[in-house]
Every structure is written in C-alpha cells, then in structure tokens.
Amino acid sequence: MSFNGLAKRIIPCLDVKNDETVKGTNFVHLRKAGDPIALGKAYSEAGADELVFLDIAASYEERKTFTNMVSRVAREINIPFTVGGGISTMEDVERLLYAGADKVSINSAAIKNPGLINQISKKYGSQVCVCAIDARLDEDGWYCYIKGGRERVELSLFDWAKEVADRGAGEILFTSMDHDGVKQGFANEALAELAETVPVPIIASGGAGKKEHFKDAFLKGKADAALAASVFHFGEIKIPELKAYLRNEGINVRL
C-alpha cells in the first residue's frame, strides 16, 4: 500500500490539575483519569506520536507543581510533547522549554497579546509555537472563546487562524467546544475550511468517540493530527488498534 504525504499524527491530551489527569465534557464536569506521568509513559510506549499536557489550573502554586511534572515527563518519554495552560509571557515559555517541553501551546494569551506568537517563533522557531484556538459555531458563524471557553471574543475562527499563521505559529490546535467530550465526531467541515485557509498543520480536537471519527478527521477534515483525551484515558480506544485501523483505511500513520 502506498501513502501520500506526511504521516498523520495521533496525540493524546492530558489535562492536569493538582498533579492528576482530569477530563470533562464541553469544558466542565471534570473526573479523574490517572497519574499524568504514568499515562504519558504508557502512551509513548503504545505508539502515540506526540503528547499534549495542559495545566488547567495554572495558578501560581499549580505552576510550580506543573513545571516539576514537565521535567519528570521529559525524563520518562521519548516522543515530542507540548505543554500549555497559563502561558502568557516569554518567561513562562522559557521555564517550560527549560524543563524539557518540546513545544508550547498558547491560547487566551495569544488573543490578548498577538505579538507573543511572533516573539516565540522568532526566538525558538515556529515549530515550538502551537496556537490553540477554542471556537464554537454560533448563530453568526464560528467565533473564538477564551478563559477556558467562558468568554466569546469578536474574532472569527478563520480570520484568527490566518493571523496566527502569518505571525509565525507552527501549528494550530483547533478545539470545537460543541464537540468537546461528547464523542460524536470532530468538526470536520470547519477543519477542512481551516486546512484550505492556512498553510500550517491543523490538529483536530474535540469529538473523538470511535476509530471512524479519526478517519473522518483526516479524510473529510484534512487534519494533520488528531488529539483526544477520554477515549484514550479510559481505554475505549487503544492506540495500536487505532493506528492499525487507520493504516487499513489507507491513511499514512507511523506504526
């Protein structure tokens, strides 16, 4: 079987609070899902291509705990990992890269201070800067949200995606808030439009419930990577089985 293009990536996402992995639905109703370091190591060994760790508390005390966790993760895994949550200054970026992260993900901070994208990509290279965008399909179109999905900003998803790519972000992590945790599939139409609109890789997030959803994100949504949390944390989908399935469906993945 021959494959075109770069391999598609499978990325487990770990939301971390008080040194534990938690998972919610539509950004609320959190439940515990295990030790982030043990989970990260297990995913690395199971064939995940990358990992994302998000500090969802990101208060001052939590920050120190999270930075220590990043250092411990870096010692345990051998795949690239991205960290995000509460990153708003170059000092935050430096602290996490120094602790061992490969990339940083910025979201609300980028909307408040778009120049941060330029600063990160200029100093460390665009591959280090992942711009996360949380958006929802409202009556007047796709709009961006900040503060963990609590506050809408008057920025259209597609305009903002273009701007962050122009400013040097290396990837866009797009989460459809309506799809988050409900396991009904990714926002494939919006993903496909993003793929047409911007020249950087798009990571699909929000909606994974079964293997077919990943296939659709890659084929219909034209995503470069697909990120999921609960289906991996709670053992509903095993990464080696998912990759074998995708390979069988003609999708180029690293086995």
Side-chain angles (χ1 to χ4, degrees):
M1 197 183 284
S2 66
F3 299 103
N4 296 322
L6 292 170
K8 303 293 188 183
R9 290 168 290 148
I10 301 296
I11 307 177
C13 178
L14 297 91
D15 292 340
V16 179
K17 186 178 183 185
N18 303 327
D19 242 4
E20 283 195 306
T21 311
V22 293
K23 182 60 195 132
T25 305
N26 301 121
F27 285 47
V28 291
H29 308 305
L30 299 178
R31 57 180 177 149
K32 293 177 182 177
D35 171 51
I37 296 162
L39 272 174
K41 190 174 181 186
Y43 290 142
S44 176
E45 289 168 355
D49 297 294
E50 296 185 22
L51 296 171
V52 171
F53 290 86
L54 296 177
D55 177 3
I56 64 165
S59 64
Y60 180 70
E61 280 307 311
E62 282 290 328
R63 266 188 189 179
K64 291 189 286 193
T65 311
F66 187 75
T67 306
N68 291 340
M69 186 212 77
V70 169
S71 301
R72 283 154 49 215
V73 167
R75 289 196 293 270
E76 292 288 342
I77 69 171
N78 56 6
I79 56 174
F81 73 104
T82 301
V83 294
I87 297 172
S88 58
T89 65
M90 285 299 281
E91 287 75 27
D92 294 330
V93 174
E94 281 156 15
R95 175 171 51 81
L96 292 163
L97 293 176
Y98 187 71
D102 298 283
K103 310 178 195 181
V104 292
S105 167
I106 54 173
N107 188 337
S108 302
I111 287 177
K112 289 178 195 155
N113 172 21
L116 186 60
I117 301 167
N118 305 66
Q119 288 178 287
I120 296 169
S121 56
K122 190 174 176 193
K123 183 163 183 181
Y124 297 109
S126 60
Q127 77 285 350
V128 164
C129 185
V130 178
C131 201
I133 305 177
D134 297 334
R136 170 177 274 152
L137 181 55
D138 293 331
E139 284 179 8
D140 50 350
W142 280 96
Y143 276 85
C144 301
Y145 281 72
I146 58 171
K147 296 182 181 168
R150 289 187 290 277
E151 188 179 304
R152 169 170 151 153
V153 288
E154 293 312 304
L155 267 178
S156 115
L157 164 64
F158 304 105
D159 290 347
W160 178 233
K162 271 189 214 142
E163 181 174 341
V164 303
D166 288 344
R167 286 179 177 275
E171 292 182 282
I172 291 170
L173 167 56
F174 161 53
T175 300
S176 164
M177 292 168 56
D178 301 309
H179 294 73
D180 177 63
V182 294
K183 303 184 181 177
Q184 298 296 310
F186 293 93
N188 294 317
E189 285 179 24
L191 282 166
E193 192 170 335
L194 277 174
E196 292 288 308
T197 304
V198 295
V200 300
I202 305 294
I203 304 167
S205 165
K210 52 188 185 180
K211 294 171 193 161
E212 289 79 1
H213 294 154
F214 289 87
K215 176 181 82 169
D216 290 345
F218 294 136
L219 297 182
K220 295 179 184 169
K222 309 278 190 286
D224 299 276
L227 174 146
S230 54
V231 290
F232 295 143
H233 301 340
F234 301 112
E236 294 159 43
I237 295 178
K238 303 237 179 329
I239 291 170
E241 291 167 18
L242 172 61
K243 286 192 156 188
Y245 162 80
L246 292 170
R247 179 59 79 100
N248 216 28
E249 294 290 325
I251 295 164
N252 182 12
V253 289
R254 290 186 195 90
L255 293 180

